Amino acid sequence: MKRNLFTKDEITLCTYIARFGKNEFDENDIHKLKSRSVSSIKMKVQNIASMLDEEGFKTNDNISKLTGKPPGQKGRRTNWDTVNNLTDLNKHEFLSMCQKIIEI
């Protein structure tokens, strides 16, 4: 079975939610892009929030963090290369990028 890996666009949108929350768009909007399950997208957002938190970046208080590891152990680093490139963007720049992806 082919693994359905997250696209760079999906990771970008998930990272925005992890950093800034769901006021502008949410997991359902990401789901419409590729018909990926909303629960899978929610877990991705939580995983990204966890990575950002471990690296000392601020995340949205309403997003719970999911490492997929026992407490005290570092979480996985899946897609960190993409996520890390989005940490310097301010909310306005980041939202503008996201709007181009989902055309809100």
Side-chain angles (χ1 to χ4, degrees), residues 7 27-28 35 37 48 54 56-57 63 67 76-77 82:
T7 65
E27 292 90 350
N28 290 310
S35 300
S37 80
I48 289 171
E54 284 176 3
F57 294 103
I63 305 296
T67 62
R76 292 197 316 244
R77 282 289 184 254
T82 302

Side-chain angles (χ1 to χ4, degrees), residues 6 14 22 26-32 35-46:
F6 277 81
C14 288
K22 305 178 191 182
D26 64 14
E27 292 90 350
N28 290 310
D29 296 305
I30 301 173
H31 159 76
K32 291 174 196 155
S35 300
R36 182 183 305 281
S37 80
V38 172
S39 61
S40 174
I41 295 166
K42 283 184 177 180
M43 282 193 289
K44 188 65 175 176
V45 169
Q46 293 172 342

Side-chain angles (χ1 to χ4, degrees), residues 73-90:
Q73 287 187 24
K74 287 248 183 201
R76 292 197 316 244
R77 282 289 184 254
T78 313
N79 306 120
W80 176 247
D81 52 335
T82 302
V83 172
N84 192 29
N85 288 332
L86 301 167
T87 55
D88 290 338
L89 296 172
N90 67 39

Side-chain angles (χ1 to χ4, degrees), residues 2-16:
K2 183 180 175 295
R3 291 189 57 205
N4 187 11
L5 299 175
F6 277 81
T7 65
K8 188 170 190 245
D9 284 351
E10 287 175 305
I11 294 163
T12 299
L13 297 171
C14 288
T15 303
Y16 182 91

